[in-house]
Amino acid sequence: MMNLLIVDDQKHIRDGLQAMVSQFPQQPDSIYSAANGIEALQLLRRHSIQLVITDIRMPDMDGLELMARTREEQLTVDYLIISGYGDFAYAQKAIGLGAKGYLLKPVNREDLQASVEHVWQEIMTRQALSRDMEQLSRMARETDRKELSLYMQGSSYDEAWTGRTEQQHPELWGSYRLCLLSEERRINQPGASSAHSMESLAYSVYGSEGCLCLQRRPHLILAVDAAADTGKLPEALKAAQIAATAAITAPQQGLKSLPAAYTEVQELYRHSYLFPELRCILPEKTAGLVQQWQLPHEELYALFRFIGADSGSRIAEGISMLFHKNVLQRYHIGYTERLCRAVVQMLEEYEWVIRPYMGEDALDLDPLRNLYDHPGIREYIQALQQQMLRLSQFYHEFKCSYRNSQDLNEAIRFIHENYHKPLDLAMVSNHVSLNYAYFSNLFKKNVGKGFAEYLRDVRLDKARRLLAETEYKIVEITPLVGYESYKSFTRAFREVMGMQPTEYRQMVRRKQG
């Protein structure tokens, strides 16, 4: 990008120069004009301008004073000077101030184009070098950050590296805190990450000398000035409407304490799950937590006794008592972690018992294995309750199925022992003490056919054996398989077998002979 400014107190010269520049093969992005140095200086302050073509002699502020003022204000801009034959001494002073060249009036198109293109090429080369240097500098900073991150996480570096790295930010490493920032997320609603915004905000709060980024993922971790107010960053995040939790360590001295500080800030962050109402958690909040405990095994067993009892409210109440915040907030976070693992283990044991019955269905226990896979403890408890209720439903259906299968087996045994007697659905359902309609549905669902069809098939199976293995007459077989009349027996036999009982007997004997 190159923007150009033409400065001359004579309008026709300004317009003429602008017309010539507009015809060059390489066009500036923008061409500005000013009648004197004062106007030019105002434009240079407001716009990014790389090249100024200016007359030397002008009222109010001449070209030399303009060059001197831009140098004082550290405005980066190159100059081409326009002068008359009598202004050679002024031109020499302009060259001394850094002008890239001068042109004699009247300016011709070829000289102007050659001069502008020469300066333009120099500016582009300088910009390219600046970009390269910035990229190298950025890569060097990123390499330093990665090395610091590895060292923070436990990688070993020699003392020479430690000393050299410490000297890059001596004041910061003299007294600092580690600050971990975790953006609030909702399950299945990741949204756009504010990590870059949080980092920029931290630098604005602590200043470039009082803040250093050490890690960006999975959480933003910064080394910040220990003397700064710990509440400033959380307040700035709130003002910027960035929902995030901050964990800030106690003051640290020296780079050698960085790995221990990293462990401390990670543990502080884990404790933030116990205090979801806090936006900033400090060491003093966790200092008084109980470090030793016994898990409430009796309460756990009592909770699981409700499994299969079809009592969702009792399960929800039991989970709420186990994971009540007044209980969890008394203990180190390790208590909550162990409690979660114990519940998951019991869920696995219960699932194992009924897994053959569940078929392709299964509990989704993987998300429950790690508390920190959830945005907070509330979301974990909700997921846990959902799986507990699913297990309870599975268990209830399993127990009902087990009881029903016993009743059904007894009904089938009773049919096979009494098929030759007058028998109907009411008699069998009464035998197993089940409601008539319920037994009818249960029988069809589990056997695959209705009671009447099943009884008919049992009787005809017995009839086929008697026809094949005995010399009983058809009329004698009829009552033996539970039919009241010869006509009803032969009709049922023909419907199922497609032939008369006598034809079936003849067919079987031909095969046997």
Side-chain angles (χ1 to χ4, degrees), residues 42-202:
Q42 291 173 346
L43 287 168
L44 288 166
R45 288 168 178 163
R46 291 200 305 267
H47 303 283
S48 174
I49 296 172
Q50 288 71 42
L51 176 60
V52 176
I53 302 172
T54 182
D55 192 6
I56 286 184
R57 293 201 177 198
M58 293 178 294
D60 299 324
M61 181 186 291
D62 63 18
L64 292 178
E65 188 179 352
L66 173 62
M67 292 181 69
R69 291 290 297 274
T70 53
R71 177 180 284 188
E72 288 174 10
E73 296 187 21
Q74 297 182 338
L75 298 173
T76 303
V77 60
D78 287 327
Y79 283 89
L80 282 175
I81 301 301
I82 302 172
S83 66
Y85 283 106
D87 297 331
F88 185 71
Y90 286 97
Q92 284 182 312
K93 289 182 180 180
I95 297 297
L97 287 170
K100 296 299 180 181
Y102 68 92
L103 300 165
L104 291 173
K105 293 182 178 179
V107 178
N108 66 61
R109 184 181 183 282
E110 290 75 14
D111 290 343
L112 180 61
Q113 181 175 342
S115 298
V116 169
E117 288 181 352
H118 175 76
V119 178
W120 194 336
Q121 187 62 45
E122 187 176 323
I123 291 171
M124 292 180 65
T125 301
R126 193 164 61 239
Q127 288 177 342
L129 286 172
S130 177
R131 287 194 298 270
D132 290 344
M133 290 300 295
E134 175 58 30
Q135 184 176 1
L136 287 171
S137 176
R138 193 163 52 246
M139 290 172 63
R141 291 195 301 270
E142 186 64 17
T143 299
D144 290 343
R145 186 190 65 77
K146 287 180 179 178
E147 286 190 330
L148 273 169
S149 180
L150 289 171
Y151 175 71
M152 176 177 70
Q153 295 176 49
S155 297
S156 60
Y157 285 83
D158 57 32
E159 290 189 8
W161 177 87
T162 306
R164 188 170 60 251
T165 304
E166 204 168 46
Q167 286 306 307
Q168 293 176 1
H169 302 276
E171 292 187 7
L172 178 62
W173 294 123
S175 181
Y176 67 96
R177 300 173 188 264
L178 277 196
C179 173
L180 183 152
L181 294 174
S182 176
E183 186 182 7
E184 255 187 30
R185 296 289 184 85
R186 312 318 304 169
I187 292 177
N188 297 326
Q189 294 180 333
S193 172
S194 298
H196 180 72
S197 300
M198 293 193 295
E199 184 179 344
S200 299
L201 199 61

Side-chain angles (χ1 to χ4, degrees), residues 1 48 61 89 93 97 104 164 176-177 197 210 214-215 225 238 308 320 341 349 379 397 400 426 433 437 496 501 513:
M1 180 188 79
S48 174
M61 181 186 291
K93 289 182 180 180
L97 287 170
L104 291 173
R164 188 170 60 251
Y176 67 96
R177 300 173 188 264
S197 300
L214 304 176
Q215 174 183 294
D225 182 6
K238 183 178 180 181
S320 178
R341 287 198 293 270
E349 291 174 359
E379 289 79 7
E397 293 175 358
C400 290
S433 303
V496 173

Side-chain angles (χ1 to χ4, degrees), residues 363-375:
L363 299 182
D364 189 12
L365 298 183
D366 283 342
L368 299 179
R369 300 186 196 283
N370 186 0
L371 169 64
Y372 308 106
D373 285 343
H374 298 262

